[in-house]
Amino acid sequence: MRRIESSINTASAEFRRNEAHNRRLVAEFREKQEAARHLRPPRDLDRLARQKKLTPRQRIEKLLDPGTPFLELSSLAANMAYGGEAPSASSIVGIGIVSGREVVVRADDPTVKGGAWYPLTAKKIVRALDIAMENRLPVVHLCDSAGGFLQLQSQVFPDRYMAGRIFRNQSLLSKMGVKQLSLVFGHCTAGGAYIPGLSDYSVIVRGTGAVFLGGPPLVKAATGEDVSVEDLGGAEMHTSVSGTCDYPADSEEHAIAIGREIVSQWDRSERWALQREAPEDPFYDPQDIYGIVPDDIKKAFDMREIIARMVDGSRFHEYQPNYGTTLVCGYANIWGYKVGILANNGVLFNDSSLKGAHFIELCNQNNTPLVFLQNITGYMVGREYERRGITKDGAKMIMAQSCSRVPKFTVMCNGSFGAGNYGMCGRAFDGRFLFAWPNHQIGVMGGDQAANTLAEVKANQMKRAGGTVDQAAVDQVWEETRKAYQEQLSAYYSTSELWDDGIIDPVDTRNALAVALSASLNAPLGPPGYGVFRF
């Protein structure tokens, strides 16, 4: 494959302005992430110390193989919810290496309301188990949870994708032969009790670990029975009487050591044979990405320049380079793994939609994973394009992408608007992983477009009602709409709601994709086949 010829002038004023802007965004992201990971009230940290407990991140560090990467997912989940009182949605999720095996690690955070599950906590755990199911990855649960956050129980308990989905997914993982281990460090109460109960293996720490559907206060209120934590659900009872847990441990470190021994006994799943070559660093410096992405989301840039700083050797075999030029398609390697890349260089027209659909088919034929680099304003609209069948051609691309058998990965590099989000494998289309950059915006349309549309609707309503337009009222609609959109378009709102698997620093994209690609190889490819293409 040929190396991409970059035309970026890293000494230009525009490059320097973009670089300064994007470095500020990344610094803000890092600050938010650091706070979500480590900033806790001293009283909560002191309580763990008194109980001789490790923090959840210390537990993870001791669990993972030394010197191996940990891809944390959704580190800023719930950052704009619950008044900021549930950092990282009071849980930690990621992919790491334990005893030489790739696993999903899921840890309750007892420094946040005793590890209670908020609605977005349940959503984050469900997503973690979806990832385990889709990629056939074993799961290690680090359990220390007070159960559902009772004040918000109606948003945690009853519906299809709420807390019950956690236990449904656990059951299906076991049915699929995907192993699960629970390390019980603290109280696992109510729904939290089912995590170890549904795991294939469980270890519980003496003195601090406990598993019960209702703790002593609830038992007293419900039955009048006085019972201690240890008698009700402690380590000795569960490992010698009920059999709910398998191994007692004398300390958290001991429990983690037992857990690592258990994982070391697990057989390794057979990985499918993706084409791979020796990894090679990009020829161009990934740090250049900061200067390439504009400081205004409305400004265009050549996505080939991003690809050149992401793929091995900056080499890229471009497919149909002279056709459908607003969609860049081609083959490259990321940390040696062969991938097919689809990247937006503008709005999707009829020809670029057809090109994308055909390229997706070729990647499925060749067992090549798909990487979507989104910077899309949508599919083209207007009389001419509807007559030429833009809806039909866009549907072909959506059909091809939806029915792909190969793993799909999406990176939100800039804007993601309208149905373009769909064709380029947005969240609804079951990509294995979806990451976002700090500059990312997502919505059915841009803030100005939405404000203009609703302001025009308001003006037309006034004309029909009385023939005169109250411009002040129209301006108020415009301003309120734009303000609401700007907040909801932001990358922080998106990741707070778990519409992605986490914001990442653009220069870390290559590494994040490598971990995700490796994880995807544990699940067999699906059967080939498509629905009906409208010709």
Side-chain angles (χ1 to χ4, degrees):
M1 288 187 286
R2 290 189 208 167
R3 181 183 300 149
I4 293 173
E5 292 296 328
S6 177
S7 61
I8 294 296
N9 178 7
T10 58
S12 71
E14 181 183 25
F15 183 93
R16 296 302 184 196
R17 186 178 65 251
N18 292 340
E19 182 180 40
H21 172 77
N22 286 303
R23 286 189 183 278
R24 281 196 301 271
L25 292 182
V26 169
E28 179 187 2
F29 158 62
R30 294 289 189 193
E31 184 178 351
K32 289 178 180 288
Q33 188 179 60
E34 186 71 10
R37 286 174 169 173
H38 302 294
L39 189 60
R40 299 291 186 275
R43 66 177 183 276
D44 292 320
L45 297 176
D46 292 343
R47 173 171 48 81
L48 290 191
R50 288 195 306 272
Q51 295 171 341
K52 297 183 179 181
K53 286 184 176 183
L54 301 171
T55 68
R57 293 189 182 276
Q58 289 172 333
R59 292 166 179 169
I60 291 173
E61 184 179 359
K62 291 181 179 295
L63 175 71
L64 298 175
D65 291 357
T68 59
F70 179 64
L71 177 61
E72 184 175 355
L73 304 173
S74 300
S75 63
L76 293 179
N79 78 91
M80 294 180 69
Y82 318 124
E85 67 179 23
S88 292
S90 68
S91 65
I92 304 167
V93 167
I95 296 174
I97 308 295
V98 176
S99 298
R101 278 86 172 158
E102 287 175 307
V103 301
V104 170
V105 178
R106 188 208 65 75
D108 296 314
D109 188 347
T111 68
V112 182
K113 303 289 187 183
W117 293 349
Y118 287 74
L120 286 171
T121 313
K123 186 175 183 180
K124 186 171 179 177
I125 298 172
V126 169
R127 173 61 185 153
L129 298 180
D130 282 343
I131 288 171
M133 293 167 68
E134 292 164 356
N135 298 283
R136 303 297 196 273
L137 291 177
V139 183
V140 179
H141 302 273
L142 308 185
C143 303
D144 196 343
S145 171
F149 188 61
L150 295 181
Q151 291 92 323
L152 298 175
Q153 64 85 25
S154 65
Q155 300 171 52
V156 177
F157 171 70
D159 207 356
R160 183 176 184 182
Y161 292 103
M162 294 181 181
R165 193 77 171 185
I166 298 170
F167 315 128
R168 174 263 193 190
N169 280 3
Q170 280 194 273
S171 301
L172 291 185
L173 280 166
S174 188
K175 177 182 177 181
M176 294 162 62
V178 179
K179 300 167 185 66
Q180 296 175 80
L181 162 67
S182 281
L183 304 180
V184 180
F185 297 115
H187 291 189
C188 294
T189 307
Y194 286 114
I195 296 284
L198 289 166
S199 293
D200 306 295
Y201 306 83
S202 60
V203 182
I204 184 170
V205 179
R206 290 187 174 98
T208 56
V211 176
F212 29 56
L213 294 182
L218 180 60
V219 170
K220 175 68 174 177
T223 69
E225 180 184 9
D226 286 306
V227 61
S228 70
V229 167
E230 285 301 311
D231 286 344
L232 184 63
E236 295 303 328
M237 193 282 289
H238 275 315
T239 58
S240 62
V241 179
S242 75
T244 299
C245 296
D246 302 319
Y247 306 86
D250 296 326
S251 66
E252 295 199 356
E253 291 84 355
H254 186 206
I256 292 168
I258 295 172
R260 286 181 51 80
E261 285 185 21
I262 292 169
V263 175
S264 72
Q265 312 305 315
W266 293 349
D267 59 352
R268 302 173 190 268
S269 60
E270 185 174 345
R271 294 157 66 88
W272 62 276
L274 172 61
Q275 293 183 64
R276 195 175 185 196
E277 300 174 5
E280 183 181 354
D281 289 338
F283 178 78
Y284 301 105
D285 188 352
Q287 298 276 335
D288 291 346
I289 293 174
Y290 296 138
I292 295 169
V293 177
D295 58 358
D296 183 347
I297 200 164
K298 296 177 183 177
K299 292 181 181 178
F301 63 97
D302 188 353
M303 194 66 85
R304 294 178 187 85
E305 299 287 359
I306 301 298
I307 295 170
R309 288 152 179 87
M310 189 181 296
V311 303
D312 291 9
S314 302
R315 289 189 295 274
F316 183 60
H317 174 82
E318 188 167 351
Y319 172 72
Q320 287 191 327
N322 298 325
Y323 179 73
T325 54
T326 59
L327 184 66
V328 177
C329 300
Y331 300 100
N333 290 73
I334 295 177
W335 275 96
Y337 295 113
K338 178 71 68 181
V339 296
I341 296 175
L342 295 93
N344 301 121
N345 256 13
V347 67
L348 288 166
F349 291 94
N350 299 75
D351 54 0
S352 44
S353 302
L354 293 171
K355 172 181 171 178
H358 192 71
F359 181 70
I360 290 168
E361 290 181 309
L362 293 176
C363 288
N364 275 267
Q365 181 194 58
N366 198 50
N367 294 338
T368 303
L370 293 160
V371 174
F372 295 84
L373 304 180
Q374 281 207 22
N375 178 29
I376 182 64
T377 56
Y379 289 94
M380 191 61 192
V381 298
R383 180 176 181 273
E384 175 188 351
Y385 300 100
E386 291 295 353
R387 289 173 69 85
R388 289 167 55 184
I390 186 62
T391 300
K392 183 171 63 174
D393 293 339
K396 291 187 181 76
M397 183 175 173
I398 291 172
M399 175 71 76
Q401 185 267 109
S402 300
C403 298
S404 290
R405 68 194 294 256
V406 296
K408 301 178 292 189
F409 309 86
T410 305
V411 182
M412 300 298 200
C413 298
N414 205 37
S416 177
F417 297 105
N421 168 276
Y422 300 160
M424 292 294 294
C425 196
R427 189 60 149 176
F429 291 85
D430 294 333
R432 298 294 181 88
F433 296 88
L434 188 153
F435 303 109
W437 289 356
N439 56 297
H440 163 59
Q441 293 184 15
I442 182 170
V444 69
M445 62 181 69
D448 287 348
Q449 289 172 295
N452 291 337
T453 299
L454 291 183
E456 184 175 350
V457 169
K458 182 68 172 178
N460 289 336
Q461 287 174 342
M462 291 177 178
K463 289 177 184 177
R464 286 195 299 269
T468 59
V469 174
D470 181 346
Q471 191 59 45
V474 172
D475 291 344
Q476 183 179 357
V477 168
W478 190 94
E479 186 59 38
E480 290 176 352
T481 302
R482 187 178 186 278
K483 182 179 179 181
Y485 258 74
Q486 288 307 113
E487 176 181 307
Q488 295 174 13
L489 289 172
S490 78
Y492 293 109
Y493 188 90
S494 175
T495 206
S496 180
E497 295 295 314
L498 286 142
W499 297 347
D500 54 49
D501 293 313
I503 297 175
I504 58 174
D505 186 332
V507 302
D508 292 336
T509 305
R510 169 179 163 81
N511 293 336
L513 286 173
V515 174
L517 279 160
S518 178
S520 74
L521 301 183
N522 292 284
L525 294 176
Y530 287 99
V532 175
F533 287 89
R534 185 175 293 277
F535 292 101

